[in-house]
Amino acid sequence: MADDARCTPSELAELLERGEDFCLLDVRTEQELEIARVDGCAHIPLNELPARLDEIEPWRHKLIVTLCHHGMRSQTAQEYLISNGFSRVSNLSGGIDAYAAEVDPTLNRY
């Protein structure tokens, strides 16, 4: 990725296709996850992230890509992780909505 701060939907698709070792962190609610999800994601709703930070501790120095519906909550998660010493955190541009539109039209959009 040219810019570690952002990950485009096509870049995420490439990471998944290559089987890269990274954490895809979905910060949406459980209800949103039931509507559409990317296989293999870790799920920690944004409001639970501070209390559950230890769950992603193994990824402190590896790539983490945060995602939500349109990219706002995941940007907040990205900033929070960086402020807590996580060194390689990227935010999925446009969220799962853009991923569904550009990469995987089988995903439900809402």
Side-chain angles (χ1 to χ4, degrees):
M1 283 178 288
D3 176 4
D4 264 359
R6 294 182 339 119
C7 177
T8 66
S10 60
E11 288 170 334
L12 175 58
E14 290 172 18
L15 289 169
L16 292 166
E17 196 173 294
R18 289 193 312 254
E20 293 285 336
D21 184 25
F22 75 105
C23 177
L24 180 58
L25 179 62
D26 194 323
V27 298
R28 297 175 300 144
T29 66
E30 186 68 41
Q31 293 80 6
E32 289 176 291
L33 204 64
E34 290 172 12
I35 297 169
R37 78 179 301 146
V38 177
D39 289 338
C41 69
H43 177 238
I44 302 176
L46 180 60
N47 65 331
E48 297 177 19
L49 189 57
R52 296 176 59 187
L53 208 52
D54 61 319
E55 293 177 35
I56 55 172
E57 182 61 36
W59 300 98
R60 180 168 289 278
H61 300 292
K62 295 181 182 180
L63 178 61
I64 298 172
V65 177
T66 58
L67 79 100
C68 66
H69 189 201
H70 287 118
M72 301 299 284
R73 286 173 286 172
S74 54
Q75 182 176 348
T76 299
Q78 175 192 34
E79 292 166 358
Y80 179 78
L81 292 172
I82 290 169
S83 73
N84 278 276
F86 287 78
S87 58
R88 295 186 60 212
V89 187
S90 189
N91 181 29
L92 178 62
S93 299
I96 198 164
D97 189 64
Y99 186 81
E102 298 174 29
V103 175
D104 188 352
T106 66
L107 288 175
N108 292 323
R109 295 181 72 191
Y110 61 101

